[in-house]
Amino acid sequence: MRATSAVVRSVQHDLFGVIGRPAGHSLSPAMMQAAFDILGFRACYLALETDDLAEALAVLDTLGFQGLSVTAPFKQDVMKRCVQVDAAAQRIGAVNTLRRTPTGWEGRNTDWLGAVRALERFHPLRGVTALVFGAGGAARAVVYGLMQAGAHVVITNRTEDRAQELAAALECSWVPLESFERVRPQVVVQATSAGMSGRPYEFHVPPDFFLPHMVVMDIVYAPLETPFLRQAKAGGARVVDGLEMLLYQGIEQFFWWLNRPAPEAAMREALRRAARHHKGKA
Ligand code: NAP
């Protein structure tokens, strides 16, 4: 296992981190360290890269790490390593947050809360129709969150079978990708990896689909302005970029670990600064 960001400054610091493969690109260390620093906590948040999740968790437990964010490809595998997993994470089928307890790691999912809180700043979700593009792991968390918030959710996905399976599992609706325009949503979430830097963007959205009453979120955050969001903005919709979901899932993690409200403004600023820096390096 490699710690790829900072080094542990002192054994007197509380230890947190993000575990993944890769992990060095993660924006979470910048966001979380800013939160600890502004509140004057003696805590370190590290990027932790490993090929062997079980071994890494044992080592981090021994070292006294108190909390971990979990990223790809471990969000499903990590569930087996938890002594307890909350009901939302079980339904979503993924854990993105761990907290150390005397008996072992406890797991939960904050991605769904991140999506809901990012959207609710712009539009109440109860009773709205929400269209979600995607049927992968992130889409599953987004759909679960929207449903918990009381939205009527319709899924669409490039691979139809996966849309159908997700709709059946979470008990919402789905439409084939060719006919998503028939849905008249107030909220639209792009929850696929289409439009990520270096990946093709394959959605053919008619120019008049996006309307000014809509709130449109793309959970991809590299680039920040995706082709999907550009088109939504051109249609007059209010747009929410993927950093907002990342911010609010992090705020929920912070609260779970420390039982204290997170410093939202400082975290947002650090996250946006890190994203600009990252883009400069790419
Ligand atoms: P995943 O499980 O691999 O699912 C990928 C999804 O994207 C599937 O629905 C797939 O469709 C679709 N897809 C991929 N390439 C496509 C293309 N070129 N055209 C149309 N659809 C395409 O991945 P994931 O874990 O859900 O992650 C998806 C994205 O969410 C990633 O970019 C990730 O970085 C981002 N994410 C953001 C946050 C945040 O906080 N902002 C949190 C988690 C994830 P098929 O089923 O047809 O293959």
Side-chain angles (χ1 to χ4, degrees), residues 60-190:
L60 296 170
D61 187 13
T62 307
L63 287 173
F65 271 72
Q66 298 192 6
L68 294 168
S69 310
V70 181
T71 189
F74 299 130
K75 285 185 180 184
Q76 283 82 31
D77 281 4
V78 78
M79 295 180 78
K80 303 197 283 277
R81 322 268 168 210
C82 293
V83 288
Q84 201 186 318
V85 169
D86 80 349
Q90 279 177 27
R91 188 111 168 95
I92 293 164
V95 154
N96 77 327
T97 315
L98 296 177
R99 182 166 71 178
R100 196 165 61 98
T101 72
T103 52
W105 296 103
E106 203 182 319
R108 78 184 298 219
N109 188 301
T110 67
D111 281 333
W112 70 277
L113 287 162
V116 166
R117 289 193 62 189
L119 287 166
E120 276 181 342
R121 284 182 75 216
F122 294 87
H123 202 297
L125 296 174
R126 183 152 302 281
V128 304
T129 297
L131 175 64
V132 177
F133 288 78
R140 203 174 163 104
V142 169
V143 170
Y144 175 85
L146 286 165
M147 293 184 70
Q148 287 296 305
H152 304 293
V153 180
V154 185
I155 303 168
T156 192
N157 190 52
R158 178 179 62 180
T159 307
E160 215 161 85
D161 290 356
R162 293 186 78 195
Q164 242 169 321
E165 280 164 26
L166 181 55
L170 294 186
E171 298 175 61
C172 62
S173 312
W174 72 279
V175 286
L177 194 53
E178 305 75 58
S179 47
F180 73 83
E181 301 106 277
R182 290 209 306 255
V183 183
R184 296 267 176 265
Q186 290 89 48
V187 170
V188 181
V189 182
Q190 198 302 108

Side-chain angles (χ1 to χ4, degrees), residues 10 19 80 122 148 150 156 212 221 230 244 266:
S10 151
I19 188 163
K80 303 197 283 277
F122 294 87
Q148 287 296 305
T156 192
Y221 51 79
R230 245 194 322 275
E244 290 296 297

Side-chain angles (χ1 to χ4, degrees), residues 29-41:
M31 169 172 71
M32 292 300 197
Q33 196 61 55
F36 293 142
D37 290 349
I38 201 154
L39 295 176
F41 287 178

